[in-house]
Each structure stands twice: as structure tokens, then as C-alpha cells.
Amino acid sequence: MFFRIISGSQGPSGGVLAGSNAFFHSYGFFAEDTFQATKKLTFSLGLRWDQPGVYSEAHNNDTVFLPNAPSPLGSFLNPVTGQQQTLMGNVALVNSPQWPSRREDNLHWKLFSPRVGVAYRITDRTVLRAGYGISYPPGTLSQDGPHMSSVNGATTSVTNTFQVSTGSPNSILATVANPLPFALAQPPRNAATPDFFYGKGIIARVPGDSPAYVQQWNVAVEQQLGNDAKFSVAYAGSKGTNLLMAGAFTFASLGIDQLPYDQFSKGLGLLAQVPNPFYGKITTPGLALSQPTVSAGQLLRPFPQYGNVLALDPHVGRSDYRSLQTSFTKRFGGSGILTVAYTWSRLMSNTDSVTSFLDEYGGLGGFVQDNNNLNAEYSVAGFDVPHNLSIGYALDLPFGSGKHFLHDAKGVGNAVVSGWRVNGITTIRTGTPLSFTQIRGGDPLTQFGGGGLVSVFMRPDLVAGCNLSLSGSREFKVDHGWFNTACLSQLGFATPRFGNAPRWDGSVRTDNMDNWDFSVSKDTHIWEKLLLKFTGEFYNTFNHPRFGAPSGTMGDPLFGLVTSQSNQPRAIQFGLRLDF
């Protein structure tokens, strides 16, 4: 509970009592075998069965949304269309006649995942490998579960009025001695009635989604070079089906109460006030649907008796990944190793990570704007990285007694020059795509279901024939603009349509990564059981700055400009350890 005191004004304070006893059970069994069919041909076969489970609540304090169920409100005369309309959509308690199951969704019992691997030895130094497999991701990967249901939360609010500047009497309801003059509001839990939900925004699981699954495949050729080196080239791909739709931050959701697209042609007329057919039926104070009039657009939505309806954990996403992967490994006897790997890839999707706030683009990047047309959301993925080069090495330096150089060193001289080892990792890769937004709060698009949890963010238009990319060095673009802002056009308040800019635009990207980490270490044997270890570690050795993403929000004074650095500056640390 938090209180705020503002001189000369009202200081509301509030706190939420919430919680649930959520649980779910998941099971998995697998069997695998490897057998050699011939001297040259080997098979690896596997089969896994999964029951990923679904959330339940120990006391049945949970809800689901049933979009195809008739509403207990029955039908109403719609003043916008002039027709009698049957209301659809109902929030149902679990373990109730409307939804008899205690779970938020159906269980899936036929999730079998085959895996096949083949290795064929073409020659003594050349091997062909191939594999295919299906996997089912976990049933829960985001901020979800019974605690998201509105039946498990209640807000207690108290307002103190202070009139210090006017001299009028203060109205102090909450004090230290009595901070809750109206008691603590309790959540309705499983005693909630249908009236509790009417007029409010709904966040609930919609049962019936197909389970998410990912198919993966690869074909590779490995070639041994000499006795201590090998080279491989591979084609690898994957396809995700029924994937979780990423929402804002960790909240996987999709709006299912968006106005049909043809209705947006009514423009600002959607905001016009008309007689509210739910007046007197929806009585919760402070709700738009409890007032005598309501906006016309609200009555044209699929579920007009509710505010925004968000389906929790919707499995309607898809992805497609293709890559060419090469690698080279060289061993230097027992003294070192060098590995070089390069990948060219392409990742397309209409969804992204459900932990996007941890990624480079933050918690709102790559959002869905048109919930009714997910094909329009298909673009390069937010973490698409076309080129990725990685070099790793570790080498014992050949100095000191018994080594190639200074092999006859002894005593103090040998202690100084021997025992040195160097290690390093170099990563060079392209940046990730950019996304562009404009804030459209209050217009019909955002009022009536466009977007998701944070519905005010929409995408602008791309100007036809305009090149988003700018020439010049990265330093020049930091000073003058990272991309061509003239290629983007805001849609006006009176233009309720979705912008044509893609969810992510691969033609302009964040800064490339060019990172070199290096370490040097030395072991010095002082006595037989006394070892002194020295380490020196250099992160971002050459102090290459990697510039942060530019602002992609139109209307922002910093639109198109880079104002941050996404990596850490060079860091050096030394260590000394004595083992005995």
C-alpha cells in the first residue's frame, strides 16, 4: 500500500491484493538407439512423448474466455446497425458448467516427437551427416497462469484531499492510525458472477489452441584435413508452427476483440456517442459501458459487452529459419586449438521472444498491430542476424624448458618464460533489424482493438521508392541520423488504418558487433605442491563501441538518432591465485 500527498490537490493511493495457488504437471518419456547398419552407415533413432501440462488453480480461482459461447446478456438492439444482435463471448470460471475442466485448456495426449540421424562415411576422411526432428516447446513460457485472472485481484483505493494553499478544510480519510478506513477489498475468487466482468478489459486463456511444435533439419559434410584439422559445411533449417505470440515485455497475448477492418472505414464516426444499450445492465461505476451513451465503434466489436479482450498465451505464431553453416577446427598437438565458424542465415516470423525486454530492442519492439491479419505481421525476426563470424583460440606458448624456444632455460629464467597460455574469442556479426512506431492514442484504431497490451503503438507508412539506408561511416550516421527519416510517414488521427511499414525492417539495422576478448595466463610451479597462477583478462580488448539502436518512434525529437552505447567499454582485470 502506497500513499501520495499532493499540496492543494487530491492524493489517491491504492494497493492491489492478488495471488493464486497455481500448479501444473508435465511429463516426458523418450527412447533412443544408435546402430550401425553397415561399416559405412550409422543410424541414430529416437522417439519422445510429451504431456506439457496446463495451469490449474488449487481452489479453482481461475477463468477462461469462450469466444463462441453465447453471452448471459442474451441479445440487444444495436443502435448503430439498427438490428437485433445476439451477444457472443463469455468469461467462464473453471470447474463450472460453462467450463467443467479445472484446467485453462485441453490436455494434448498425442505429442510424439521423432528424431532421425544418419551418418554415412563416404571415405575414411569424409562423412555425410543428416538429421530431422520434431520438438514441442513447454506449455508455458511467459507471464501467465491463474494469477492473471481478474478474479484473483482487488484494488483498495483511498483519496486524501489537502487544501493547504486555499485554506479550505482538508478531507483526510486515511491516517497512520487508520490506513484502511474502508477495509481491504477482497478478490471475488471463484464466487465471481458474470456481472463482475462486463465492461472491463479481459485477460484470459482461450481454450482450444493447437500445441506449438518446431521441426528442425540439417545436412552436413565433414572433411578431415591431415591428422589434426577438419572442415565442415552444413545446411540447417527449422520451421515453427503454432508458436506463442509475443506481446509487450513478458506478456504473451493477442487482441481478439478488434473491430473488423471494414468498419474502420467509418473513420472518426466510430467515436461518436450513441445510446448505450447496456446502460442499467452494466453498473460497475467508472466504466465506459456503465454510462448512458457509448462510442459507436464499441458496439461494432465482436464482444461489445467487454473492453479489450486479450487472449493469453495464443499459439498462432510461425517462423522459418534457413542457414549455411561452416566451421574449421585445427588442433596443435596437445598445446592448443583454433576454431573458426561462420553462419549465413535468414529468420522470418510473425512473433518474437517472450522475453523481449532482455533483447536489444526492448520490451515493445516488433509488436503486432493488426490482430486480425497475422500474415501482415510476417517479416524478418527481431533477432535475425544474417552474418555471424566467431573465432576462438587457445594456445600454450612454446617457451621454456622442453619447449621449442628457450628449451634449455633453467631456474629463474625458466620460471619467467614458461607456463604461458593465451586464449581469445572474436565475434563479428551484423546488427539486428529496426522497427518503427508512431503513437496513436485515442484514435479509432487504438480505441477499438488495434495493437495489443500497449495499444497506442502502431506502425507508420513507408514512402514508396524511398531508400531507408544512409551512406557514410557509422560515426557519421551517429552524428547525422542512422537512417533516412524522410522515408517514413505518420498516419493522421482521422486515418484509421494500419501503416504499411513491416514489423521489422531488415534494410536498416543496429550497429554491427566487432568484439575481441583476450586473456593471458601463466602457471608457475614454486615447489612440488605449490602453484602460482596469474591471469590477465581483456574484455572488448580494442575498445570498439557498439552503438545502441536509434529511436524508431516518430514524433520523438530524437527520432532516427543514436543516443546510447549497447556494449561495455574495455575492461581489464588481473588475478593471482596460490594453490597448495
Side-chain angles (χ1 to χ4, degrees):
M1 180 72 69
F2 298 92
F3 293 89
R4 185 178 68 195
I5 300 174
I6 303 177
S7 176
S9 64
Q10 291 185 339
S13 61
V16 177
L17 177 65
S20 64
N21 295 309
F23 68 92
F24 75 95
H25 302 108
S26 61
Y27 310 93
F29 301 94
F30 70 92
E32 61 181 3
D33 188 27
T34 299
F35 69 95
Q36 191 168 359
T38 69
K39 291 183 178 181
K40 293 187 174 183
L41 183 62
T42 301
F43 288 96
S44 296
L45 304 177
L47 182 65
R48 180 181 176 92
W49 174 82
D50 283 288
Q51 170 47 263
V54 179
Y55 270 118
S56 300
E57 209 279 337
H59 306 291
N60 298 321
N61 297 322
D62 200 4
T63 53
V64 296
F65 186 75
L66 306 176
N68 297 319
S71 170
L73 286 174
S75 62
F76 73 105
L77 179 63
N78 194 324
V80 180
T81 64
Q83 298 179 351
Q84 193 74 18
Q85 179 178 329
T86 299
L87 283 170
M88 301 300 293
N90 186 34
V91 180
L93 293 165
V94 300
N95 196 35
S96 69
Q98 292 75 34
W99 182 251
S101 173
R102 295 187 64 195
R103 300 180 178 89
E104 293 181 339
D105 205 342
N106 305 308
L107 293 177
H108 298 282
W109 296 99
K110 299 179 181 180
L111 305 186
F112 293 96
S113 308
R115 288 94 188 268
V116 179
V118 180
Y120 180 73
R121 188 173 61 188
I122 301 174
T123 70
D124 289 342
R125 292 178 173 269
T126 307
V127 176
L128 174 66
R129 302 182 187 276
Y132 173 83
I134 296 176
S135 60
Y136 291 90
T140 176
L141 287 169
S142 72
Q143 183 180 352
D144 54 10
H147 70 283
M148 297 300 299
S149 173
S150 58
V151 302
N152 289 319
T155 300
T156 299
S157 182
V158 180
T159 299
N160 282 352
T161 302
F162 297 86
Q163 303 292 347
V164 177
S165 59
T166 64
S168 301
N170 296 329
S171 175
I172 303 176
L173 302 177
T175 65
V176 174
N178 184 21
L180 298 170
F182 307 120
L184 188 64
Q186 298 294 320
R189 308 295 187 185
N190 57 21
T193 62
D195 292 345
F196 173 78
F197 304 101
Y198 295 143
K200 299 177 182 177
I202 304 299
I203 300 173
R205 192 81 173 255
V206 176
D209 270 354
S210 299
Y213 67 95
V214 179
Q215 301 174 77
Q216 296 175 294
W217 57 88
N218 64 78
V219 178
V221 176
E222 294 183 2
Q223 177 69 47
Q224 184 176 344
L225 305 173
N227 296 324
D228 49 22
K230 67 176 183 179
F231 174 79
S232 69
V233 58
Y235 165 76
S238 69
K239 181 180 180 181
T241 305
N242 302 329
L243 300 180
L244 200 62
M245 290 299 298
F249 302 99
T250 60
F251 190 79
S253 60
L254 186 71
I256 59 173
D257 200 22
Q258 180 180 304
L259 202 65
Y261 193 75
D262 59 343
Q263 298 290 353
F264 283 119
S265 62
K266 294 180 170 62
L268 295 181
L270 295 168
L271 300 176
Q273 294 292 299
V274 298
N276 181 8
F278 301 113
Y279 183 61
K281 298 179 180 179
I282 299 177
T283 57
T284 303
L287 297 179
L289 281 167
S290 67
Q291 306 305 311
T293 61
V294 69
S295 58
Q298 176 65 31
L299 300 181
L300 297 173
R301 300 177 77 170
F303 313 112
Q305 69 273 34
Y306 300 111
N308 285 336
V309 181
L310 295 178
L312 191 62
D313 286 356
H315 287 86
V316 290
R318 62 188 175 106
S319 68
D320 188 85
Y321 175 75
R322 300 288 187 270
S323 69
L324 174 68
Q325 303 174 3
T326 62
S327 67
F328 171 78
T329 302
K330 169 70 174 177
R331 297 185 180 276
F332 301 95
S335 62
I337 187 173
L338 169 68
T339 62
V340 180
Y342 168 75
T343 299
W344 174 89
S345 64
R346 179 79 164 177
L347 176 61
M348 306 286 292
S349 72
N350 63 358
T351 183
D352 283 309
S353 167
V354 294
T355 56
S356 60
F357 71 100
L358 297 173
D359 299 325
E360 296 179 17
Y361 45 82
L364 295 174
F367 56 87
V368 169
Q369 65 169 1
D370 188 352
N371 298 282
N372 292 344
N373 183 15
L374 296 183
N375 287 332
E377 308 299 322
Y378 193 70
S379 70
V380 292
F383 40 93
D384 173 64
V385 179
H387 303 282
N388 194 339
L389 174 66
S390 178
I391 303 171
Y393 52 90
L395 181 65
D396 292 330
L397 298 184
F399 299 102
S401 179
K403 303 293 185 178
H404 186 75
F405 299 103
L406 304 176
H407 56 84
D408 55 353
K410 298 178 181 179
V412 176
N414 184 60
V416 171
V417 301
S418 65
W420 290 96
R421 182 179 180 85
V422 295
N423 304 274
I425 299 176
T426 298
T427 303
I428 301 173
R429 74 180 194 192
T430 48
T432 53
L434 297 181
S435 65
F436 307 105
T437 63
Q438 69 173 97
I439 298 176
R440 300 185 59 171
D443 77 349
L445 209 62
T446 60
Q447 287 286 305
F448 306 121
L453 179 67
V454 187
S455 60
V456 297
F457 292 97
M458 295 291 166
R459 298 198 290 270
D461 270 349
L462 271 178
V463 177
C466 190
N467 185 7
L468 265 173
S469 298
L470 291 176
S471 59
S473 68
R474 48 199 290 273
E475 291 81 7
F476 177 85
K477 290 192 287 186
V478 165
D479 292 334
H480 298 87
W482 196 259
F483 55 85
N484 186 359
T485 57
C487 290
L488 295 158
S489 173
Q490 292 195 67
L491 278 73
F493 186 87
T495 310
R497 68 170 178 83
F498 297 105
N500 62 22
R503 197 170 58 90
W504 292 101
D505 196 317
S507 67
V508 282
R509 294 176 175 267
T510 59
D511 197 15
N512 296 335
M513 176 182 287
D514 183 7
N515 187 75
W516 300 66
D517 294 333
F518 177 79
S519 72
V520 59
S521 63
K522 175 175 170 51
D523 291 349
T524 303
H525 291 273
I526 300 175
W527 286 294
E528 181 179 353
K529 294 184 178 181
L530 193 62
L531 176 65
L532 183 66
K533 291 189 174 183
F534 164 80
T535 57
E537 298 172 331
F538 305 81
Y539 299 98
N540 191 8
T541 306
F542 301 112
N543 205 26
H544 288 159
R546 188 183 185 207
F547 300 121
S551 169
T553 303
M554 299 195 72
D556 181 352
L558 300 175
F559 179 55
L561 298 178
V562 172
T563 59
S564 64
Q565 180 177 333
S566 63
N567 67 338
Q568 296 295 319
R570 177 172 50 219
I572 302 174
Q573 62 184 31
F574 297 103
L576 197 63
R577 190 176 77 182
L578 188 64
D579 292 346
F580 56 92

